[in-house]
Every structure is written in structure tokens, then in C-alpha cells.
């Protein structure tokens, strides 16, 4: 068997090729304005915001607004002609999300479209008023004294500048004149009413949306018996994108944390969305840890002459060049052991992915032999093919090659291990790759794709990270 010192040397050789820039933090869920609008719109429906608009106490608000003023007697004379004033229909139009000038806050505009009707003893006709206005609020990051950050919604209001009230139908001069007076009273009263009645609903809807978004990041990602857990660290706003910055940890089947990825976010390089509704960006070392959980170190034993007879004949021919005596000792029960003591490492170059593996390969003359003929340390690479199946992220290894072969131990004399390159490549492609691809076949579920309302995921690679986005329809 190879000495630990020798294998440590090989690990160092591979690690030297894997050093590169890393993305901080471990993971970022980036949400574009479309996701924010869709989620907040749904929460406004859940909180029955339309019913809140329909129940606006317009008449009492007008009386309160005019009480104590110099024209209060005139107002009372107008209002005595109003039997009932009620919102008869209401709708919330498409929300708008746009960054404020500093790019660290978002303005939410909630356009409101309402029709109110009032009755008067003068005529039986219902006089209808069309009311258009906007509620506005600001989303920003609030940091507490304990340095805990969270997204908050504040400064909810409705401005007179966005308020339009008009008579919906033509009426007589008398009714039109009365309607104009009602409109003049509604103009100052309605924004205050929206702030007192609707703004608390908007704030509650936002807080529900925020909690839902945080909860969906906490769903564990299954990795065979292990799983990956995300931990919310802090939010950030960059122009029109909300970023949820996540730490991560790998947890085994017994609930023990085996690897922690929570790094500092002091020097944060936030990913860009590039017109996608959302993205989940996972740092490369996290992806490597996920692959490692799916492919733990193992030993594969192959009865070569029974499983791959042609490869067994090639091996005997190659060994005969080294030692004819050793070649003659190879029996029908000759064994090849493949040991993956180091898990695969992801390498990315211009969007193309490869995996590097350190493999130990031993050849035994027979199944009864205690000592191997020789032990090889192999630095191998394979193509890494990422693809999607619904919300599953799939990975497959193709075309393995033995890039470097080191003779770590030999009982048949020293020889150039490159003589066995064709043999090692063949047996790794025939035995190791199918074994690893079988374990990868279950895929990695990215449940937040469907939780955000999308059916399928797509992926892309950068030098530092793997990025999951919704697939184009």
C-alpha cells in the first residue's frame, strides 16, 4: 500500500491546480423586481386588501377633515345632501418596483383604481366618482444594535400629486356642482384615509412575503444520507434586486455539522441577475462539498478477468514488458482495487466544467494475494456535464483521462507508470465512471425553484460559482 506521505504529496499537486478566486458569501438568493411584485401582489390578495378599499369610511373621513375649519358650516351644508358615500368597486393595478437614487432602497408603488358612489335626496340617480391614486412605500435594510439586518417596509403614504378624482358620468348642472364639492373634500381626506387603513395592510403583506422568502431558503437540500442547509445571514439591495445572503452547512445523517461555509460578508461581491427573475448563486466550494456528499470515498474491487477479460489481457501484456515473471503470476482471479480517497474537485474554465480526482489503483496477482504487484496514484480528470430535469440539478461525468500517473509502490521493480496509461484510462472509464454516475443519478433538488413559481431550473457556471436560474419557457 502507498504511504500517507506519498499520497499527501499527490494531494498537494492537485490542490495547487485548484486554487482560485472564491465568491463570498457561500450562497446568494437574488430576487428581481418581477418576483417581488408577484409575491407582494399575492400577499395583498391574501390580506384582502381589496375589501379594505371597499370598506374605506369616506364620508366620516370627509367630516373629520373639515371639522373645526372656517368653512365647516359650508361643508356641513354640502354633506347634508349626501345620504351615503361608499366605494362600490376597487382594484389594485400592477405594482411597480424601482430603485431610489442611491440604489440601496426600493420604491414600491401600489396603483389603486376605485369607483365610489353617493346618493342624494335631490334625485334617485347614484352619482359615481372615479378615483385613481397610488400608495407608496420604501423597502430598505434595517440594522439593529446587535448588527442583525432585515428587510423592512417604511414610509407608506399616498401623495396628492398622484390623486385624480373625476365624475364618471355626465349629470345635470346641479348634480355636477354637488359632485365637484364632494371631490374637493375627498382630495385632502383620501390620502390620509389610505395611509391609515391600507398602509397597515401593505406592511403586513410585506412582512408575510419576507418571512415566506426566508423560509423557502431554509428547506434542506438532500444529498443521499447527508443534506445541505442554508442559514440566512443578511439582506442587501442593489438597484432593483433584493439579495438574501446565505451561509451554509453540510449536515450528516445524525444531524452533525460536517462542514461550515459561513464566511464574512464584509467585502461582498453581489451577483448580477442579467434579466432573470431570480438566481441562486452557490460558491464553488459548496458545490464541491455537495458532490463529495454524493460521492464519498470508497473502494471498488474488480475481478478483472471475469468482468473485463480484454482489459485483463492488455494488462498482462503491459506487465510482461516490465517483468515476464510477474506477468506469468497473474491468475484468473486477479484483482484490481480502485480507491477514491479524495472526492472530486470542480474546475471551471470559460464556462466548461471538469472534475479532478485523485485515485489509487492496485493490482493483485490473485484474490488470495496479500500484497499488490504495484500501487499507482492517478490524477484524473473528466468532463462534468450539468443539466436540469425539472427542479433537479443533474450532474454526469464523461470521458475520464489519466493525466498524471505516479508509481507509489512496486513489488515488481521500478518502471515508468506511463506504460499503463491505456490500461488505467480503460478501467476507470469502464468501472469508476459508471459507478459514480449511478450515484449522481438522483440529482440535487433545488426546491426554491418551484416555491418561487417556476417549473424548471437552468444553470450556468462561472469561475467561482454555479448559478441556478429559472428555465426559459
Amino acid at each position: 500500500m502507498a504511504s500517507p506521505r506519498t499520497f499527501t504529496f499527490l494531494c498537494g499537486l492537485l490542490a495547487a491546480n485548484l486554487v482560485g478566486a472564491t465568491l463570498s458569501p457561500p450562497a446568494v438568493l437574488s430576487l428581481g423586481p418581477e418576483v417581488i411584485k408577484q409575491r407582494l401582489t399575492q400577499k395583498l390578495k391574501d390580506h384582502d386588501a381589496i375589501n379594505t378599499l371597499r370598506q374605506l369610511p369616506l364620508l366620516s373621513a370627509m367630516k373629520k377633515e373639515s371639522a373645526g375649519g372656517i368653512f365647516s358650516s359650508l361643508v356641513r351644508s354640502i354633506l347634508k345632501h349626501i345620504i351615503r358615500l361608499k366605494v362600490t368597486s376597487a382594484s389594485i393595478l400592477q405594482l411597480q418596483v424601482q430603485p431610489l437614487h442611491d440604489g440601496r432602497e426600493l420604491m414600491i408603488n401600489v396603483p389603486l383604481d376605485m369607483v365610489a358612489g353617493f346618493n342624494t335626496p335631490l334625485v334617485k340617480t347614484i352619482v359615481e366618482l372615479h378615483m385613481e391614486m397610488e400608495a407608496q412605500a420604501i423597502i430598505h435594510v434595517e440594522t439593529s444594535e446587535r448588527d442583525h439586518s432585515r428587510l423592512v417596509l417604511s414610509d407608506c403614504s399616498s401623495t396628492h400629486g398622484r390623486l385624480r378624482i373625476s365624475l364618471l358620468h355626465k349629470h345635470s348642472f346641479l348634480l355636477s356642482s354637488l359632485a365637484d364639492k364632494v371631490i374637493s373634500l375627498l382630495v385632502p381626506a383620501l390620502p390620509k384615509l389610505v395611509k391609515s387603513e391600507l398602509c397597515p395592510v401593505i406592511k403586513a403583506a410585506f412582512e408575510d412575503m419576507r418571512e415566506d422568502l426566508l423560509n423557502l431558503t431554509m428547506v434542506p437540500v438532500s444529498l443521499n444520507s447527508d443534506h445541505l442547509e442554508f442559514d440566512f445571514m443578511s439582506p442587501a439591495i442593489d438597484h432593483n434586486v433584493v439579495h438574501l445572503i446565505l451561509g451554509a452547512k453540510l449536515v450528516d445523517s445524525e444531524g452533525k455539522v460536517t462542514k461550515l461555509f459561513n464566511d464574512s460578508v464584509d467585502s461582498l461581491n453581489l451577483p448580477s441577475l442579467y434579466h432573470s427573475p431570480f438566481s441562486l448563486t452557490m460558491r464553488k466550494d459548496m458545490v464541491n462539498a455537495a458532490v463529495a456528499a454524493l460521492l464519498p470515498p470508497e473502494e471498488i474491487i474488480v475481478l478483472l478477468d471475469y468482468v473485463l477479460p480484454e482489459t485483463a489481457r492488455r494488462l498482462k501484456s503491459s506487465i510482461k514488458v516490465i517483468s515476464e515473471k510477474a506477468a506469468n503470476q497473474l491468475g484468473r482471479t486477479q484483482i484490481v482495487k480502485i480507491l477514491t480517497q479524495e472526492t472530486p474537485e470542480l474546475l471551471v474554465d470559460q464556462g466548461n466544467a471538469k472534475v479532478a480526482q485523485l485515485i489509487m489503483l492496485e493490482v493483485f496477482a490473485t484474490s488470495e494475494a496479500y500484497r499488490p504487484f504495484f500501487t499507482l496514484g492517478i490524477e484524473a480528470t473528466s468532463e462534468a456535464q450539468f443539466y436540469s430535469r425539472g427542479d433537479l440539478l443533474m450532474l454526469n461525468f464523461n470521458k475520464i483521462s489519466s493525466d498524471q500517473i505516479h508509481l507509489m509502490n512496486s513489488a515488481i521493480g521500478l518502471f515508468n507508470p506511463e506504460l499503463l496509461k491505456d490500461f488505467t484510462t480503460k478501467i476507470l472509464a469502464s468501472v469508476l465512471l459508471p459507478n459514480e454516475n449511478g450515484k449522481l443519478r438522483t440529482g440535487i433538488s433545488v426546491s426554491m425553484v418551484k416555491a418561487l413559481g417556476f417549473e424548471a431550473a437552468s444553470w450556468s457556471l462561472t469561475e467561482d460559482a454555479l448559478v441556478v436560474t429559472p428555465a426559459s419557457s
Side-chain angles (χ1 to χ4, degrees):
M1 294 290 292
S3 68
R5 183 175 181 181
T6 308
F7 197 75
T8 301
F9 169 72
L10 289 177
C11 292
L13 288 177
L14 179 59
N17 295 319
L18 300 175
V19 174
T22 57
L23 172 71
S24 181
V28 180
L29 176 61
S30 303
L31 305 168
E34 290 301 318
V35 171
I36 301 298
K37 286 190 288 185
Q38 186 273 329
R39 305 288 291 193
L40 186 54
T41 297
Q42 183 58 51
K43 288 301 179 181
L44 288 172
K45 291 179 181 178
D46 295 344
H47 283 261
D48 210 359
I50 296 297
N51 188 58
T52 299
L53 293 175
R54 287 174 177 162
Q55 299 299 321
L56 289 177
L58 299 177
L59 196 56
S60 61
M62 290 165 56
K63 291 177 181 178
K64 182 179 179 181
E65 181 68 25
S66 59
I70 58 175
F71 298 109
S72 57
S73 59
L74 176 62
V75 171
R76 284 196 298 270
S77 67
I78 296 171
L79 294 181
K80 72 179 181 179
H81 295 292
I82 307 300
I83 298 175
R84 186 183 67 167
L85 178 58
K86 183 177 177 61
V87 175
T88 57
S89 69
S91 61
I92 296 177
L93 306 181
Q94 186 176 32
L95 273 60
Q96 297 174 354
V97 178
Q98 53 190 8
L100 292 180
H101 58 86
D102 63 353
R104 295 294 177 263
E105 297 178 332
L106 290 176
M107 173 71 77
I108 300 287
N109 295 320
V110 185
L112 309 174
D113 190 282
M114 297 176 283
V115 173
F118 68 87
N119 299 94
T120 173
L122 303 176
V123 294
K124 295 181 180 180
T125 306
I126 296 177
V127 181
E128 292 185 310
L129 303 175
H130 185 207
M131 303 183 295
E132 299 174 281
M133 61 187 307
E134 277 187 355
Q136 295 179 332
I138 294 174
I139 299 175
H140 62 96
V141 177
E142 180 182 82
T143 304
S144 68
E145 293 180 357
R146 296 182 179 181
D147 290 333
H148 292 159
S149 298
R150 63 172 188 156
L151 289 173
V152 297
L153 183 139
S154 63
D155 299 331
C156 183
S157 64
S158 178
T159 61
H160 292 82
R162 299 296 181 101
L163 174 61
R164 295 182 182 86
I165 305 177
S166 59
L167 197 58
L168 197 58
H169 305 290
K170 290 184 177 181
H171 293 279
S172 65
F173 175 77
L174 181 62
L175 281 182
S176 296
S177 178
L178 179 61
D180 288 342
K181 291 182 174 62
V182 171
I183 290 172
S184 67
L185 295 174
L186 278 174
V187 166
L190 194 56
K192 295 179 181 179
L193 197 57
V194 167
K195 182 173 182 177
S196 64
E197 301 294 326
L198 184 63
C199 278
V201 177
I202 295 175
K203 186 173 183 179
F206 171 81
E207 289 175 352
D208 272 6
M209 178 193 75
R210 180 188 62 201
E211 291 307 308
D212 280 359
L213 291 173
L214 293 181
N215 288 337
L216 71 87
T217 66
M218 296 178 186
V219 177
V221 177
S222 177
L223 302 168
N224 289 341
S225 60
D226 296 350
H227 59 272
L228 188 67
E229 292 182 2
F230 293 107
D231 299 311
F232 174 70
M233 296 173 68
S234 64
I237 296 174
D238 186 26
H239 293 89
N240 64 347
V241 179
V242 173
H243 301 278
L244 302 182
I245 300 162
L246 308 174
K249 56 191 175 186
L250 196 63
V251 181
D252 65 17
S253 57
E254 298 178 353
K256 180 181 177 182
V257 176
T258 58
K259 194 171 182 64
L260 194 63
F261 298 93
N262 291 5
D263 289 351
S264 170
V265 294
D266 292 339
S267 301
L268 188 61
N269 183 22
L270 294 172
S272 299
L273 269 184
Y274 299 112
H275 308 295
S276 177
F278 84 91
S279 69
L280 174 64
T281 304
M282 294 179 286
R283 202 170 60 192
K284 191 171 69 175
D285 62 332
M286 265 187 60
V287 179
N288 280 329
V291 174
L294 293 171
L295 299 175
E298 66 172 331
E299 180 181 276
I300 304 172
I301 299 176
V302 184
L303 280 168
L304 193 61
D305 205 39
Y306 291 92
V307 178
L308 298 168
E310 180 58 33
T311 305
R313 285 191 288 273
R314 289 184 183 179
L315 173 62
K316 188 170 185 176
S317 298
S318 298
I319 292 179
K320 193 172 184 179
V321 175
I322 302 166
S323 169
E324 187 170 349
K325 179 182 177 182
N328 292 332
Q329 292 175 7
L330 288 171
R332 292 294 304 276
T333 60
Q334 62 186 273
I335 286 177
V336 173
K337 286 186 180 180
I338 301 172
L339 300 92
T340 57
Q341 294 193 7
E342 291 291 313
T343 52
E345 291 278 355
L346 184 66
L347 307 172
V348 181
D349 181 22
Q350 297 180 349
N352 297 316
K354 291 185 177 182
V355 286
Q357 301 185 68
L358 287 174
I359 301 159
M360 289 176 60
L361 187 147
E362 296 181 323
V363 173
F364 294 81
T366 67
S367 58
E368 290 80 22
Y370 176 73
R371 293 186 59 193
F373 269 176
F374 53 82
T375 301
L376 301 179
I378 304 168
E379 298 179 45
T381 56
S382 309
E383 294 177 2
Q385 178 190 6
F386 286 95
Y387 62 99
S388 304
R389 184 184 297 159
D391 65 343
L392 290 176
L393 179 64
M394 309 298 294
L395 174 60
N396 194 72
F397 296 162
N398 298 318
K399 297 181 181 178
I400 194 166
S401 62
S402 302
D403 299 332
Q404 296 289 331
I405 307 176
H406 305 271
L407 182 62
M408 301 172 67
N409 219 343
S410 177
I412 62 173
L414 296 178
F415 62 91
N416 184 355
E418 290 295 319
L419 292 171
L420 299 174
K421 187 167 187 175
D422 289 344
F423 161 73
T424 58
T425 301
K426 176 65 176 178
I427 196 166
L428 294 181
S430 302
V431 177
L432 181 63
L433 281 193
N435 179 70
E436 291 181 330
N437 286 332
K439 295 180 178 180
L440 295 171
R441 195 170 293 128
T442 55
I444 300 172
S445 176
V446 188
S447 61
M448 63 181 68
V449 173
K450 289 189 175 179
L452 288 169
F454 301 92
E455 289 300 317
S458 62
W459 60 273
S460 60
L461 288 168
T462 68
E463 183 181 351
D464 300 322
L466 183 143
V467 184
V468 178
T469 57
S472 302
S473 57

